[in-house]
Amino acid sequence: MAGGRLGAALLGLLFCWAARALEVSVGKATSISAQNGTDVLLPCTFTACIGFENALFSWWFNATQLYTGRVSNKNVRPVCVVCNPRVELPEVTLNKDSREYNLSILLLSVDFSDSGQYTCAVKNPKEKGAEHNATITLAVVVELEKVDKTLAKIIAAVVGGVIGLLVLILLLKKLILFLLKKKKEKNNECLVSSSGNDNTENGLAGSKADQKPAPKA
């Protein structure tokens, strides 16, 4: 049993190293937009297959260092090493069971000069100084484009109409079956009643035929 667990652990480590020991991600979107004068969240998370200790991370704007911090372990929040008054670390919930660690920053009061590439870089001493980074592009605009919800409304209306039609068909089907059932029951009652009347009439006729006039004396 112990040998099996050890083998599984070694296999897991080999898989991690084959995939990537340290990985930094800024999410699925490689570019984001923000309105001039607003705050914008620049996302960044990293995973370390064998954990991390005193990991260093930094944010770069184009080729200029914007912010640097250190993370002792996954149970504590990062601390600032090279701070920036325009950068804040947002409040995030620490999840001890997750292998991801959040290094997102909040860039305050962006203007048009803040448009460009932002790179999140992480160095993990526990993995022999392994480094990795990911880049996201920020575009500062006068006004964010409004999402046209016309197509979504049309789709919702069509789906709602189809569902309503199906419900109506089911109700009509139940109503028709109910009416047919009632009609069948009524026909059965009529047949039973008619059969009873016929039997009664036949019985009366037979009785009259059997009655013979009394012989005269």
Side-chain angles (χ1 to χ4, degrees):
M1 182 66 70
R5 291 180 179 177
L6 179 60
L10 290 175
L11 184 62
L13 287 175
L14 287 174
F15 177 78
C16 288
W17 281 105
R20 184 178 293 276
L22 176 67
E23 184 172 4
V24 179
S25 173
V26 291
K28 295 181 179 180
T30 57
S31 62
I32 56 175
S33 299
Q35 188 173 351
N36 183 36
T38 62
D39 302 338
V40 60
L41 181 70
L42 300 176
C44 178
T45 59
F46 82 95
T47 56
C49 197
I50 61 173
F52 64 91
E53 290 180 358
N54 295 318
L56 291 173
F57 72 96
S58 58
W59 275 92
W60 296 76
F61 171 54
N62 295 330
T64 304
Q65 188 173 3
L66 187 67
Y67 186 93
T68 301
R70 178 185 291 109
V71 187
S72 299
N73 55 69
K74 67 177 182 179
N75 299 322
V76 298
R77 298 187 183 280
V79 295
C80 176
V81 176
V82 179
C83 303
N84 186 323
R86 293 191 58 212
V87 174
E88 291 183 359
L89 295 176
E91 292 291 332
V92 294
T93 302
L94 296 175
N95 187 352
K96 297 180 181 180
D97 297 327
S98 175
R99 288 170 52 191
E100 278 192 351
Y101 194 92
N102 197 324
L103 297 176
S104 303
I105 60 172
L106 190 65
L107 187 60
L108 307 177
S109 301
V110 295
D111 57 32
F112 299 110
S113 62
D114 291 319
S115 297
Q117 292 186 332
Y118 289 81
T119 300
C120 177
V122 180
K123 181 177 182 180
N124 185 14
K126 191 173 181 179
E127 293 180 299
K128 297 181 179 181
E131 298 182 32
H132 193 232
N133 63 72
T135 300
I136 190 169
T137 302
L138 172 66
V140 180
V141 296
V142 176
E143 186 177 358
L144 293 176
E145 294 182 2
K146 295 181 179 180
V147 179
D148 188 3
K149 297 182 179 180
T150 304
L151 180 59
K153 291 180 179 179
I154 293 175
I155 294 175
V158 171
V159 172
V162 171
I163 294 175
L165 181 61
L166 291 175
V167 172
L168 179 61
I169 292 173
L170 291 174
L171 290 175
L172 288 175
K173 181 180 178 181
K174 288 186 177 181
L175 179 60
I176 292 172
L177 291 175
F178 176 77
L179 293 176
L180 291 175
K181 182 179 179 181
K182 287 295 184 181
K183 184 177 180 181
K184 185 176 180 180
E185 291 176 353
K186 187 174 181 180
N187 290 338
N188 290 338
E189 290 177 358
C190 290
L191 289 174
V192 171
S193 177
S194 176
S195 176
N197 292 335
D198 291 343
N199 291 335
T200 303
E201 291 175 358
N202 291 334
L204 290 174
S207 298
K208 292 178 179 179
D210 292 339
Q211 291 177 1
K212 297 180 179 180
K216 297 182 178 179

